[in-house]
């Protein structure tokens, strides 16, 4: 028993970060290693976090086929979808704290691999409880990626450049969403637009992609600079913030992590982020179903529209980092307002505007641009600005749990509201019965847009908050 | 030996539901080919408005079905669209001209709690009926689709005229 426990603990030690090692390398060697690792970090976390998204969003693409086939109702899909988001919220919180102590490369790789297994299982399940359990676990495994990436960013990039690199990493959200909404939709959509495969393949192919991503992360994502015998990035870059870090005064990491909970601005940010995640996941989870059900587009075109929003998000993330760093001297609130309005106004066109594909596409592009920008801030960058850097993972985790609790509640509430409006038209013939479902999205839409308004008001209330070191 | 193989092949084809696959192939293809026989297909047009009024019109083209029994079936609103106790039939009329047999119905449903389900029982009452082209409009959405006896699911993305016309 004791031997088994000891073996388990030794196995878990594989995931812990190395001890700080003294800097013995020459300045030139330190420079060379920093350049190499920084390049690897940004490429690997962006690419592989994006690839990991495919294992998170596959369900959204196959929702309509699952509804049409009568396998799950919108309410049941809401339960399954919210299970992932709750799992992810828990994962982001616990894994945020763990990531501060972890060798992020190994930690992140494990999450991707386990997520692949969950997707593989989903392809076999048509039972509500099995799917909800697998998808909930998948949410937790997915929660390994963001804290690992943010911890890497905090360790390898300094204050005045982090906005830009965070912006680049945030494009991973959009790359992953785009890959899912185009790639998985291509697998499932009927010919000639797609391959017309069964919905099961919408889970199995993402599983294979996540296994490959796990291998890349394991090979190329390094541990902290200090664990590699390098100085901290703040020392290397000579980029220190205005306020001293608690860690520099000798406080423990755990104590500093707990101090986050006493910061009112972090709580407000958490609520603002949570509300914005309601809208984000409403569009991601139900947007393509809405476009098929209400606007009459086919599966491929509906997902193409959602892809446009995510593709624009790539630019939105980068633009947010640039705009807030350069135009507003690393102040996030003015940029939040700007990008928040760009997120909110197109929603009016998307839900109440004309059914013109070009107008709809343009509105989704502007929406995606604004949303990704403000999420890059509310979902992390603003939080790690405000929080001490040694506990960036915990700050991110704290915001994350709120964000994904909001997103999870949204998925269930949206599914319930959509299900409540259901009208089934039945055509019995012989032993068969053809059914066509009709839904009304007017109440869920008010819920989704209202959440964005609330988020914007909360974000604006942090106008005077500035970054710490 | 060859005969034995042939028997086995037939059994395997039967066991694998070969007939079902042919039907599936028809269902995948038919939406795109529907325009070719559209003039001979029974049409059902239903509109549910915001105050709960449901209007339904069935049009059976000349030659599509035997009009005598069809007319008797259409005379009862419940044979066409049944919403259970939530909707009360208010008006039903059957008319015919040289081109079509027309059934028109009006049901009053509760505006506060619109019906959760409607049953179209035409296939059960009209054995000859092979296919219905349906347009259903609710306050939120309008859908156009085909229901065919050979297909378990309704067929969407229906081509109503030759492409390019």
């Amino acid at each position: 028993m004791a031997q088994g426990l000891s073996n388990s603990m030794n196995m878990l030690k594989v995931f812990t970060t190395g001890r700080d090692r003294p800097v013995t390398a020459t300045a030139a060697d330190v420079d060379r290693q920093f350049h190499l690792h920084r390049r690897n970090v940004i490429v690997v976390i962006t690419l592989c976090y994006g690839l990991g998204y495919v294992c998170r969003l596959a369900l959204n693409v196959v929702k309509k086929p699952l509804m049409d086939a009568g396998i799950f109702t919108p309410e049941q899909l809401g339960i399954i979808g919210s299970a992932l988001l709750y799992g992810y919220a828990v994962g982001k919180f616990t894994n945020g704290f763990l990531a501060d102590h972890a060798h992020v490369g190994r930690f992140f790789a494990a999450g991707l691999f386990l997520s692949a297994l969950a997707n593989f299982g989903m392809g076999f399940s048509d039972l509500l409880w099995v799917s909800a359990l697998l998808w909930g676990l998948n949410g937790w495994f997915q929660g390994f990626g963001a804290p690992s990436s943010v911890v890497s960013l905090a360790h390898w990039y300094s204050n005045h450049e982090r906005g830009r690199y965070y912006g680049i990493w945030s494009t991973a959200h959009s790359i992953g969403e785009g890959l899912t909404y185009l790639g998985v939709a291509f697998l499932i959509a009927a010919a000639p637009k797609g391959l017309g495969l069964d919905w099961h393949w919408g889970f199995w192919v993402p599983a294979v992609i996540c296994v490959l991503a796990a291998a890349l992360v394991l090979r190329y994502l390094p541990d902290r600079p200090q664990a590699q015998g390098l100085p901290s990035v703040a020392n290397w870059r000579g980029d220190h913030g205005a306020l001293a870090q608690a860690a520099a005064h000798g406080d423990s990491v755990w104590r500093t992590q707990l101090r986050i909970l006493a910061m009112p601005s972090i709580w407000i940010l958490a609520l603002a982020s949570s509300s914005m995640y309601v809208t984000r996941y409403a569009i991601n989870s139900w947007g393509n179903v809405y476009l098929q059900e209400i606007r009459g587009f086919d599966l491929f075109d509906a997902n193409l529209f959602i892809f446009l929003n995510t593709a624009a998000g790539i630019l939105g993330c980068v633009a947010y980092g640039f705009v807030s760093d350069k135009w507003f001297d690393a102040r996030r609130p003015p940029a939040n307002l700007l990008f928040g309005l760009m997120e909110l106004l197109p929603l009016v066109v998307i839900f109440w505007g004309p059914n013109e594909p070009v107008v709809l596409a343009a509105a989704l592009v502007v929406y995606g641009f604004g949303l990704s920008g403000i999420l890059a801030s509310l979902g992390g960058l603003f939080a790690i600005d405000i929080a001490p850097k040694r506990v960036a993972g915990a700050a991110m985790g704290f915001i994350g749990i709120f964000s994904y609790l909001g997103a999870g509640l949204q998925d269930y509430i949206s599914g319930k509201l959509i299900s409540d409006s259901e009208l089934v038209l039945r055509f019995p013939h012989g032993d068969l019965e053809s059914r066509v479902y009709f839904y009304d999205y007017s109440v869920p839409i008010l819920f989704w847009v209202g959440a964005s308004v609330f988020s914007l008001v909360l974000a604006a209330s942090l106008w005077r908050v500035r970054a710490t070191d | 030996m060859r005969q034995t193989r042939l028997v086995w092949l037939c059994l395997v084809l039967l066991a694998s539901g070969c007939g079902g696959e042919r039907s599936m192939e028809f269902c995948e293809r038919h939406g795109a080919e529907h325009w070719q026989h559209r003039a001979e297909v029974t049409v059902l047009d239903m509109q549910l408005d915001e105050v709960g009024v449901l209007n339904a019109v069935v049009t059976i083209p000349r030659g599509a079905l035997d009009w005598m029994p069809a007319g008797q079936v259409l005379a009862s609103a419940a044979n066409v669209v049944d919403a259970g106790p939530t909707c009360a039939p208010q008006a039903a009329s059957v008319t015919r001209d040289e081109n079509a047999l027309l059934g028109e119905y009006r049901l009053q449903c509760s505006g506060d709690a619109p019906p959760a389900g409607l049953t179209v029982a035409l296939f059960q009452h009209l054995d000859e009926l092979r296919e219905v082209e349906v347009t259903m409009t609710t306050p939120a959405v309008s859908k156009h689709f085909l229901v065919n006896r050979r297909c378990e699911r309704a067929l969407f993305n229906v081509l109503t005229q030759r492409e390019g016309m």
Side-chain angles (χ1 to χ4, degrees), chain A residues 64-65 68-69 293-294 296 298 422-430 432-441, chain B residues 44 46 48 115-120 123-124 134 136 138 140-141 143 145 147-149 151-154 156-157:
Chain A
K64 182 78 164 64
D68 287 345
E293 284 285 337
I294 305 297
D298 62 33
E422 182 179 279
L423 189 163
V424 192
L425 195 53
R426 297 186 180 86
F427 294 85
H429 49 97
L432 302 176
E433 185 175 84
S434 301
R435 293 180 181 186
V436 177
Y437 297 89
F438 295 80
Y439 300 100
D440 186 345
Y441 282 70
Chain B
L44 172 62
M46 294 202 286
L48 177 66
L118 297 169
T119 302
V120 176
F123 287 103
Q124 288 179 310
V134 185
M136 168 85 179
T138 72
V141 64
K143 289 189 178 184
F145 53 92
V147 180
N148 189 295
R149 265 193 204 276
C151 307
E152 186 176 357
R153 294 185 199 161
F156 288 89
N157 303 315

Side-chain angles (χ1 to χ4, degrees), chain A residues 59 63-64 66-68 70-82 128 285-286 289 293 410-424 437-441:
Chain A
L59 175 70
K63 249 179 192 169
K64 182 78 164 64
L66 288 170
M67 281 161 63
D68 287 345
I71 295 170
F72 294 122
T73 66
E75 187 175 355
Q76 289 172 327
L77 287 168
I79 291 169
I80 297 167
S82 63
L128 174 63
S285 296
W286 298 101
V289 185
E293 284 285 337
Q410 170 285 131
D411 224 354
Y412 175 69
I413 291 170
S414 299
K416 179 88 174 83
L417 291 173
I418 294 165
S419 270
D420 285 350
S421 72
E422 182 179 279
L423 189 163
V424 192
Y437 297 89
F438 295 80
Y439 300 100
D440 186 345
Y441 282 70

Side-chain angles (χ1 to χ4, degrees), chain A residues 245-302:
Chain A
Q245 273 197 56
H249 289 293
D251 282 1
S252 72
V253 172
W254 288 109
R255 187 184 290 263
T256 315
Q257 283 177 331
L258 286 177
R259 271 186 41 211
I260 291 170
L261 301 177
M263 298 173 75
S265 52
I266 291 279
W267 283 90
I268 293 173
L269 202 54
L271 276 175
S273 177
S274 174
S275 301
M276 194 54 80
Y277 267 64
V278 167
T279 315
R280 176 195 181 191
Y281 273 89
I283 300 288
N284 279 358
S285 296
W286 298 101
N288 74 73
V289 185
Y290 163 80
L291 289 171
Q292 290 170 75
E293 284 285 337
I294 305 297
R295 299 288 192 149
F297 295 102
D298 62 33
L299 186 142
F300 187 82
D301 287 349

Side-chain angles (χ1 to χ4, degrees), chain A residues 54 56 94 115 124 155 158 161-162 195 204 231 278 283 285 293-294 306 321 331 360-361 375 401 447 453 455-456:
Chain A
V54 181
R56 189 189 309 182
T94 57
S115 180
F124 288 104
H155 286 310
S158 64
E161 57 181 4
R162 195 175 302 116
L195 297 178
W204 292 335
V278 167
I283 300 288
S285 296
E293 284 285 337
I294 305 297
I306 303 298
R331 286 198 67 222
L360 208 52
L375 278 183
I401 193 166
F447 169 48
V453 174
S455 172
L456 205 51

